[in-house]
Amino acid sequence: MDLRKLRYFVAVAEHLHFGRAAAALHIAQPVLSRQIRALEGELKATLFERDRRSTSLTPAGEQLLADARPLLAGAEALRRRVAEAERGSRTFTVGFMPGLIVTGAVRALRARHPQLDVTVLRTSWDDQTAVLHDGRADVSYLRLPADQRGLAVRPLLTEPRVVVMPADHRLAGKEAVTLADLADEHLLQDPEAVPEWRDIATELRTGAREPEPLVRTVEEKLEHVAAGRGVVVLPLSTATFYTRPDVVAVPVRDLGPNHVCLAWDAARRSRLVQEFVAIAEEHAATAQPGASAGLAHT
């Protein structure tokens, strides 16, 4: 399989427009069209339906897109590891989501392997698993729900979730709220991150959900919360770490805890990964109930 053709295919599939895909790839559109036709010839399948107004994926194209992304990510991870070996460097990268503290486990691995360059990488809801597939991280602390395909996952701990709202919100003075209390709120994050809210949300039942502002970090979400644009649901440790005076965090009585796991590429057979998994489990076992002690920034 020609990885270059696969990259071209993914670009077209994501843009659903040959001209925009060609511009993003910095190649001429006729060249891109020829490469896609060649790929269709190799696969003996039609990947796109095209007319004068639109481009769409065929069932075969949808299947190829689902398989091509992890394949390309794996190829990128391979390239990174080979380049690292060529440089003669030994690095081990630990991904972590906001609010989690990984310092203890990272220091323990460094102590065992003084010649190993152990680094950390802050992730987000959008890329917490992607960093494993493309090789940016060797292991990553995940907050569920997350797409676990192709990954080995080890549960570590749980912690409560809270709703974060403006300090002058009508519910801000409550000791705790319920999901029903939040039914009419606008959630400033992907509803898939809070499936329980999704099931009762008025704006989803009525189709009145507003276009989501482009927010990727906790800091950006809190800015929108403070401005009165909506609320967010966060793990307790994240809300505590990002405390600010113009927003408040309120416990949600009937909202289940956030599950924290350690994940890595299931296809990798690395003794360092397995060693870090054992270290992470040991540190997670010392975590206090309701907190993520034993996990932190370095």
Side-chain angles (χ1 to χ4, degrees):
M1 182 64 65
D2 186 334
L3 293 181
R4 182 182 60 178
K5 290 192 183 76
L6 275 185
R7 292 190 184 95
Y8 289 174
F9 162 77
V10 170
V12 177
E14 290 178 342
H15 289 276
L16 289 179
H17 190 284
F18 276 74
R20 288 194 291 270
L25 292 166
H26 305 291
I27 62 174
Q29 183 173 336
V31 173
L32 178 59
S33 297
R34 285 197 299 271
Q35 292 295 316
I36 296 300
R37 285 197 298 271
L39 180 60
E40 289 177 323
E42 292 169 9
L43 296 175
K44 297 180 174 58
T46 301
L47 302 175
F48 296 101
E49 294 286 355
R50 301 174 65 182
D51 57 34
R52 292 182 178 180
R53 291 181 298 177
S54 66
T55 298
S56 60
L57 285 166
T58 64
E62 291 176 354
Q63 182 62 58
L64 181 59
L65 181 61
D67 291 335
R69 281 172 169 154
L71 182 60
L72 291 173
E76 175 61 17
L78 174 63
R79 185 197 65 77
R80 289 175 187 270
R81 288 194 289 269
V82 170
E84 182 179 295
E86 174 65 18
R87 293 193 301 268
S89 60
R90 293 186 67 210
T91 63
F92 190 90
T93 302
V94 179
F96 66 94
M97 285 285 283
L100 297 179
I101 299 179
V102 300
T103 305
V106 167
R107 285 179 174 173
L109 187 66
R110 283 174 179 159
R112 295 187 187 186
H113 301 276
Q115 304 306 314
L116 183 66
D117 181 15
V118 185
T119 63
V120 294
L121 174 66
R122 182 188 184 278
T123 63
S124 68
W125 169 257
D126 294 324
D127 69 358
Q128 63 172 340
T129 58
V131 298
L132 296 170
H133 293 302
D134 65 20
R136 283 177 286 165
D138 295 279
V139 298
S140 188
Y141 287 85
L142 308 183
R143 290 194 183 277
L144 300 185
D147 185 351
Q148 300 178 32
R149 288 176 294 181
L151 301 178
V153 177
R154 189 69 52 85
L156 291 180
L157 54 86
T158 62
E159 61 172 309
R161 287 185 287 173
V162 297
V163 59
V164 182
M165 59 187 67
D168 59 356
H169 192 280
R170 61 184 176 83
L171 299 173
K174 299 281 189 180
E175 291 186 6
V177 297
T178 66
L179 283 168
D181 294 328
L182 304 175
D184 294 333
E185 300 296 329
H186 176 56
L187 193 70
L188 288 165
Q189 62 200 116
D190 185 346
E192 293 301 318
V194 194
E196 303 92 336
W197 176 87
R198 181 192 59 199
D199 294 337
I200 58 94
T202 301
E203 65 180 11
L204 294 183
R205 292 201 312 271
T206 62
R209 182 168 171 81
E210 300 175 7
E212 201 63 38
L214 185 60
V215 289
R216 299 190 181 279
T217 68
V218 176
E219 295 89 343
E220 290 171 342
K221 290 174 183 175
L222 294 181
E223 285 294 332
H224 286 287
V225 170
R229 298 194 63 177
V231 301
V232 295
V233 173
L234 297 175
L236 177 60
S237 64
T238 306
T240 302
F241 188 85
Y242 291 94
T243 298
R244 48 187 289 173
D246 49 2
V247 302
V248 296
V250 180
V252 185
R253 290 193 184 97
D254 52 349
L255 188 61
N258 176 242
H259 294 264
V260 177
C261 302
L262 187 69
W264 61 98
D265 185 337
R268 291 192 64 189
R269 298 293 181 266
S270 166
R271 285 184 295 178
L272 273 177
V273 167
Q274 295 305 317
E275 186 174 353
F276 188 84
V277 171
I279 291 172
E281 288 183 311
E282 179 182 343
H283 281 260
T286 66
Q288 298 299 316
S292 42
L295 305 174
H297 309 288
T298 57

